[in-house]
Amino acid sequence: MPRVAVVRQAKLMNMRWFLRGLGPVLGLLGLLAGGVGCGPRAIRGDLEHHNISDEDLLALLPQGQEAVVDIDVAALRSWPPSRSLLDLLPGSARAKLGELVADPLADIDSVGLGFQGLGTSGVEATLLVRGRLHSSKLWQSMQARPARREVTYHGIAIVEDSTQAVARLTEQTLVVGSRLQVRQIIDIFRGVDHGVRKQSSLMTALAMAPSGKSGRPPILAAVLLSADLHHRLHDAGMLRVLDEAQAVALAMAVGDGFDIGVVASYPMLAIAGDAVAQIKAQAAELAGRPLAKLLSLDRFVMPLVAVAVPKSPKRPTPELHLAYRLPGDDLTDLLRRLSELKRALPASPPDAVPTTGAPTDSATPPGDRTLQRK
């Protein structure tokens, strides 16, 4: 073969090898360029793909809670006395609600609360709110604090200072709590971690709460009584009936009036029986006070019923069952008395968020939410 042809063939081979090696390099550069162009959107989309629902607020609370409260505000919205009960809140509490919504009953659908450190000086509360929220006031309030900062965690904006953080998980769900708790909630919302629904001890306590005849009661709560909380209650001389209690659950149902059911677990049936005796004695003493008789308040105490229940296959420990029912007419009368008492007390600072609404009556909303013992 002529020398010129050999040289030409060698150049062609070198060009093929160069192009063959250049292909992967160009492909890699293309991927990198594409990643730079749509990286944040792709990352955010991947995070949101694993989001869990924000309809169950308790499921978003981190594990390690000592108490939880679950309020179905939407179910309370059609209950006429709700407005009067809201008006009885202190002005400071209503002002806090005003940072979230203009009208709590109309704009909030559900509330979830978690508590840690009960009985200590470092109680930590975490609030989750779902509804038609306008977070601007709360956001601006946080921004006005000294040493605040705005950060992004897993694609969700947070405004925080050294003691508190606020984040908006979705258009309808807001979380307020410590910096750590808010980040843990975002982890749970993004599907990275499990929430308090996986905390078996607290969920067992919550399951003790009485159920409703029609749907779940609008207010549910559960508390695990730690040694610190036992000591604090005992030292304060309050709720001595809970000195030996292990856990407490509460449910409130509404209809023609309201029903409140409380269940407390005890290590022994005799201790639960002693707690029942204490409750009955304290109720009788309260109803027999001259002021209670003068104001006819004794009839609001006597509907209280308390019994001790032994353990069973469905009940791992003995329990105290406490039931209280106030019919609609009695509730209307009680709210009227409380309103008069509030007006008679020294005036508090003006309410930041006035509430409006028609006077309450004893009308019954659709459905019977009377509590049932388990």
Side-chain angles (χ1 to χ4, degrees):
M1 179 181 298
R3 180 177 179 80
V4 175
V6 172
V7 173
R8 185 179 299 168
Q9 186 175 1
K11 288 181 177 180
L12 288 174
M13 291 293 292
N14 289 336
M15 182 64 70
R16 288 173 186 167
W17 290 337
F18 174 75
L19 293 176
R20 190 177 299 170
L22 184 62
V25 175
L26 292 174
L28 179 60
L29 290 174
L31 288 174
L32 291 175
V36 171
C38 63
R41 183 182 302 174
I43 293 173
R44 185 179 183 89
D46 185 60
L47 288 171
E48 293 179 350
H49 177 72
H50 300 285
N51 286 355
I52 69 171
S53 171
D54 62 344
E55 292 185 1
D56 182 4
L57 296 183
L58 287 196
L60 293 169
L61 284 170
Q63 297 186 49
Q65 306 298 317
E66 296 171 18
V68 291
V69 181
D70 188 4
I71 305 176
D72 184 356
V73 182
L76 295 172
R77 194 173 294 143
S78 59
W79 189 49
S82 294
R83 183 67 62 182
S84 293
L85 288 171
L86 184 64
D87 289 340
L88 290 174
L89 288 177
S92 58
R94 293 168 64 190
K96 285 291 184 183
L97 288 173
E99 294 180 351
L100 294 172
V101 292
D103 185 341
L105 283 177
D107 298 331
I108 294 178
D109 292 331
S110 55
V111 173
L113 282 161
F115 297 92
Q116 293 179 327
L118 295 177
T120 71
S121 58
V123 177
E124 189 174 298
T126 305
L127 170 68
L128 281 154
V129 181
R130 189 171 188 271
R132 287 149 298 284
L133 309 176
H134 61 279
S135 62
S136 57
K137 282 187 179 180
L138 186 58
W139 202 270
Q140 290 171 5
S141 174
M142 287 294 297
Q143 287 180 322
R145 294 186 180 187
R148 60 86 186 155
R149 64 173 188 162
E150 294 184 35
V151 298
T152 299
Y153 183 73
H154 286 344
I156 294 178
I158 302 173
V159 59
E160 62 185 13
D161 60 14
S162 60
T163 62
Q164 192 178 58
V166 178
R168 194 163 192 166
L169 301 182
T170 66
E171 286 298 317
Q172 65 269 7
T173 302
L174 195 75
V175 55
V176 184
S178 70
R179 296 167 61 188
L180 175 61
Q181 291 278 293
V182 168
R183 282 165 172 76
Q184 288 178 323
I185 287 174
I186 293 175
D187 283 338
I188 295 167
F189 177 64
R190 291 302 198 197
V192 177
D193 203 355
H194 295 294
V196 77
R197 290 289 185 191
K198 296 294 184 180
Q199 186 179 336
S200 59
S201 57
L202 191 54
M203 291 302 101
T204 299
L206 188 62
M208 295 192 309
S211 59
K213 287 183 179 179
S214 175
R216 56 149 280 185
I219 299 178
L220 292 170
V223 182
L224 299 175
L225 282 89
S226 64
D228 289 328
L229 185 55
H230 275 133
H231 292 153
R232 177 62 62 90
L233 294 174
H234 184 86
D235 293 344
M238 299 170 57
L239 302 177
R240 292 290 176 86
V241 296
L242 299 179
D243 275 354
E244 302 293 332
Q246 300 165 323
V248 178
L250 177 145
M252 178 178 173
V254 299
D256 178 23
F258 67 80
D259 291 71
I260 294 178
V262 178
V263 177
S265 61
Y266 289 84
M268 298 175 59
L269 182 60
I271 299 176
D274 290 342
V276 169
Q278 291 181 51
I279 289 174
K280 291 181 176 179
Q282 291 174 359
E285 189 273 334
L286 179 61
R289 290 181 181 179
L291 181 60
K293 289 186 174 296
L294 178 64
L295 300 176
S296 300
L297 297 178
D298 53 329
R299 66 189 178 94
F300 298 118
V301 178
M302 299 318 294
L304 188 68
V305 176
V307 295
V309 183
K311 66 178 182 179
S312 68
K314 293 184 178 181
R315 190 179 298 112
T317 62
E319 294 175 352
L320 161 70
H321 287 195
L322 188 67
Y324 181 81
R325 184 175 193 281
L326 197 63
D329 291 341
D330 289 343
L331 176 58
T332 300
D333 188 24
L334 177 61
L335 290 174
R336 178 183 59 79
R337 292 167 183 263
L338 291 175
S339 180
E340 292 173 352
L341 180 61
K342 182 182 179 182
R343 287 196 296 268
L345 293 175
S348 57
D351 292 340
V353 184
T355 58
T356 59
T360 171
D361 55 48
S362 60
T364 306
D368 181 2
R369 293 183 177 269
T370 304
L371 293 176
Q372 293 179 311
R373 293 179 184 173
K374 296 181 180 178

